[in-house]
Every structure is written in C-alpha cells, then in structure tokens.
Amino acid sequence: MVEMRQRIDDRYVTAEKYTTLRGIHQDARKNLSDAQWNYLWCGTGDEVTLRDNTAAFDRYLFETPLFAGISNPDTSTSVLGFDLSFPAFIAPFGGEAAFHPEGHLAIGRAAQSVGIRQMVPVAASYSLEDIAAASAAAAIFQMTFVGDEGAVLAMMERAKDAGYRYICVTYSPIRQWRERMMEDRFSIRGEKGPANFGPGRSDPSSLTELLDFTQPRWNWAQAARAIARAPLPCIVKGVTNARDAQAALDAGAAALYVSNYGGRTVDRTPAALDVLPAVRAAAGPEVPIIFDSGIRRGSDIATAIALGADAVALGRLIALGLAADGEAGVRRTLELLQREFWTTLGHLGCSSVGELTGDVLYRQARS
Ligand SMILES: Cc1cc2nc3c(=O)[nH]c(=O)nc-3n(C[C@H](O)[C@H](O)[C@H](O)COP(=O)(O)O)c2cc1C
C-alpha cells in the first residue's frame, strides 16, 4: 500500500489525460453503447430517488473560516481496521465487464495504487478469487442473503479463504423496476459473468436464486443466525432508517452501510444523504458507518463525513472511470476525488478527517 499521508499535487497544469471528472464522464459515454450506458446510469421508476440522491447534496452549503492556518490537510483515515489514503471504498457493482473487459481486476489495481480498498460483489464479472489475486485492495465481499443458508455460509468461507476481511450483506426482495433496462431488454447474463458460479465454483442454483427471485426472502431472524455463524464480520448494506439500524446491530452487524443502491431498488424512497443523520443518531458514535448513493465529487465526501459517515463508497464514478480508460481511468478518478476532498478540508479549516463535523455545514430550506 502507498504511504497514507501524501502531499497532494494541486497544480492546474498537468500532463494527465483528464483534468476533471467531466472529461472522464464524457469519454465513458462515448465508449459505451446506449444499452451499457443505461445499465450504468439507470434508476428505478421515474428515477426520482436517483435524482434526489444528488440534489440532497445541493441542499447543504459549507461554512468556511478565515485564517484557519491550514495548508496541507491530512486526508487519510482508518475505517474497519483499514488504513485509507482518503475516506472512500470502491462500492460493489456487478456486471462490470459491460464497462471494460478487465472489470474489477483493473478497479482493484487502481484502488491499491491510490491506497483505498475495494468491495467486491458476488455478481462481479470475475470470480472473487481472481479479483483477490489481482490486488491487495480487495477486502470486503458483498453477497445477498438468499436461498439456502448452507450455500450462503459456503460462499462466505470461499471469501474468507481468498483473504477477504468482511462480508457486506445485502437484501433484495424482488426484481427492480428499471425501465431503461426493460426497454433495452438488457440481461447481465448476456455480458461476461457472473463468474462466481458454475463448475468448481458455487452452485449455479444460487445464481438463479439471486437473479430470479424464486424463493421467499429472508427475515431478520435468519439473517441474525447467518451473521452469528459467519466466518467473517458482517456489514449490513441498505440501512435507511433508525429502525433498521437498530435491527442490524441487534442481529450482530459490525458496521452499517447507508445506501439506497444509487436509486436502483425502489423509486420514491428518500435520498440516502437525508437519512444518514438519523442512522448515525440511532447507531451512536462508535459504530462504523459507510455511506453511498449520490457522491459525484470530492466535496460530497466531506458532506457525507460531516453528517456522520466514516467513509463513503463510490459506485457510478468508478464505473465511469473504468469505461473511460480502464485501470488508468479509475486511478485518475480516485486521484481527482482525493484532491478535491483535500482542497475542501483545507478550505473548511479542517486539518484532518476527524475534524469534519456538522459545524462545517449549513442546511438550506428544501425548495
Ligand atoms: C451498474 C451498477 C451495478 C450495481 N451492482 C450492485 C451489486 O451487484 N451489489 C450491490 O450491493 N450494489 C450494486 N450497485 C450499487 C452500488 O454498490 C452503490 O450502492 C451505488 O452505485 C451508489 O450510488 P451512486 O453510484 O449513484 O453513488 C450497483 C450499482 C451500479 C451503478
């Protein structure tokens, strides 16, 4: 891993291919077919939640002090025992070979070069073992609690054997209403993978269960039992209210992950940022909280931390970097995010991530 505290190169003049995230976004759009782009960018229903996830960040403004004496803030932090160069993880997103043939292999290498960690989804285009072998960034394995408990525990053992340190638990009760993908007749099975199933891997019926929703979904009692038997500590993803925060902690969760999956599950649910303070209040100050859904620039990371997250996860931004320029595109995306976060910390008078509190924010009235 790279040295965590770094002097950031903040000059405007650079030989880098991309000077801002905008250029990466534009190249990603050029490189993808309409169907691939829709898979990346779609939400559900009218995509109200997808839009509100980002609009929620616009409802906060920063308060900047004068003469705070900061010139080189420290963006590094430690979350879940991982030393990170800035408070971010790669979010788990499946079917990623639709964006670039090297998928999560390239993402892991880029994450390692920048000094952050990767969450690897069960629906990845490469197997969890191949992704773990590609880089030391692969640290958290995301899987859905569905079907047979024995199969779920066996998959966790595989993740442990491959060197993962946490399981990110997800829940998905029924297929999502994604009209862009319906219009495109898109199937992730039509892309490369998912590679975790099949001969020598996990039973393909687990994949059917994951994608086709043939059996009733689990309840909290089943989830608690699997968490208790799990060979690795579990992070529960999809927490969006105080009640579920408490239920997840009662079930044995080691950390909470506030997310509405980037507006990809059910539309007209609240923006993830809007529910973050209530989840932090319910969890208390010590429980680690990861946040995603709506991060679009480095200053958004500061807002999420100030509202109670310990780190954010990056989904679509990483997919854009991957689609634009493979590993180099992801690395540049991460560098630009870290650099803008660094600049934001400095302007807010914070010399370290720990100094980012609600005091740096104004909340605007909702229009
Ligand atoms: C193309 C795509 C595929 C995704 N696949 C998964 C997945 O397999 N498992 C999962 O837990 N989340 C998945 N997600 C959700 C992301 O992990 C993350 O929660 C989301 O991207 C956050 O929203 P944002 O990217 O708009 O910030 C996916 C997201 C995208 C964009």
Side-chain angles (χ1 to χ4, degrees):
M1 284 278 159
V2 292
E3 162 69 34
M4 286 306 144
R5 182 173 178 137
Q6 298 156 316
R7 174 76 218 180
I8 303 284
D9 181 357
D10 58 354
R11 287 166 297 192
Y12 292 166
V13 178
T14 171
E16 289 280 352
K17 180 171 176 186
Y18 298 110
T19 56
T20 64
L21 294 179
R22 238 188 315 280
I24 293 174
H25 187 115
Q26 283 161 1
D27 270 7
R29 182 63 193 97
K30 269 187 241 151
N31 291 347
L32 297 181
S33 69
D34 287 351
Q36 289 165 332
W37 181 257
N38 284 332
Y39 172 54
L40 196 171
W41 213 262
C42 73
T44 45
D46 285 317
E47 302 188 342
V48 173
T49 300
L50 172 64
R51 288 190 296 278
D52 205 35
N53 276 342
T54 47
F57 282 89
D58 295 341
R59 295 195 280 271
Y60 286 94
L61 303 178
F62 292 118
E63 171 158 338
T64 55
L66 287 175
F67 296 108
I70 310 290
S71 74
N72 188 20
D74 184 3
T75 62
S76 73
T77 189
S78 179
V79 181
L80 298 168
F82 299 117
D83 292 330
L84 307 171
S85 61
F86 71 112
F89 290 90
I90 307 291
F93 57 91
E96 80 284 359
F99 312 134
H100 188 278
E102 289 177 31
H104 278 291
L105 307 179
I107 293 172
R109 290 192 296 259
Q112 182 173 0
S113 74
V114 175
I116 68 161
R117 297 297 188 125
Q118 177 188 25
M119 295 195 245
V120 172
V122 65
S125 306
Y126 289 88
S127 73
L128 64 92
E129 290 86 1
D130 287 350
I131 297 169
S135 87
I140 300 173
F141 181 65
Q142 173 267 318
M143 55 186 292
T144 306
F145 276 8
V146 281
D148 175 58
E149 185 184 316
V152 166
L153 292 172
M155 183 73 102
M156 289 187 194
E157 291 289 347
R158 262 182 75 187
K160 180 171 185 256
D161 290 346
Y164 292 84
R165 306 242 302 266
Y166 289 86
I167 299 293
C168 169
V169 175
T170 56
Y171 169 75
S172 182
I174 199 161
R175 196 183 307 285
Q176 304 83 2
W177 194 260
R178 297 181 185 161
E179 294 191 347
R180 297 200 217 185
M181 286 167 65
M182 292 158 77
E183 285 161 1
D184 292 334
R185 298 171 162 79
F186 187 89
S187 166
I188 136 169
R189 284 191 175 97
E191 304 288 328
K192 178 182 166 3
N196 278 313
F197 305 90
R201 304 246 150 106
S202 289
D203 183 351
S205 68
S206 304
L207 177 63
T208 303
E209 193 42 51
L210 183 69
L211 299 181
D212 291 345
F213 305 89
T214 56
Q215 295 174 28
R217 277 355 205 188
W218 287 25
N219 59 33
W220 271 119
Q222 288 168 287
R225 200 173 59 179
I227 290 172
R229 293 180 179 176
L232 293 170
C234 293
I235 302 162
V236 174
K237 179 174 178 184
V239 176
T240 57
N241 55 58
R243 188 190 56 238
D244 282 341
Q246 194 55 57
L249 294 173
D250 291 346
L256 304 179
Y257 185 162
V258 173
S259 170
N260 58 30
Y261 296 79
R264 293 168 81 86
T265 52
V266 62
D267 200 22
R268 295 173 204 279
T269 52
L273 193 71
D274 285 341
V275 302
L276 174 59
V279 173
R280 171 50 79 196
E286 303 302 329
V287 174
I289 295 182
I290 299 172
F291 168 89
D292 81 19
S293 300
I295 301 285
R296 294 292 177 268
R297 56 170 56 257
S299 60
D300 293 343
I301 301 173
T303 305
I305 303 284
L307 288 174
D310 293 291
V312 303
L314 306 163
R316 288 185 176 89
L317 289 185
I318 299 305
L320 292 176
L322 186 67
D325 201 15
E327 179 182 338
V330 176
R331 182 190 51 76
R332 188 63 180 150
T333 299
L334 291 170
E335 279 173 2
L336 288 166
L337 285 166
Q338 182 186 16
R339 192 171 127 179
E340 192 191 356
F341 177 65
W342 176 80
T343 299
T344 308
L345 273 184
H347 282 288
L348 293 176
C350 298
S351 58
S352 67
V353 176
E355 290 177 22
L356 271 174
T357 67
D359 292 348
V360 305
L361 296 175
Y362 293 108
R363 167 122 171 131
Q364 300 208 92
R366 202 171 172 148
S367 51

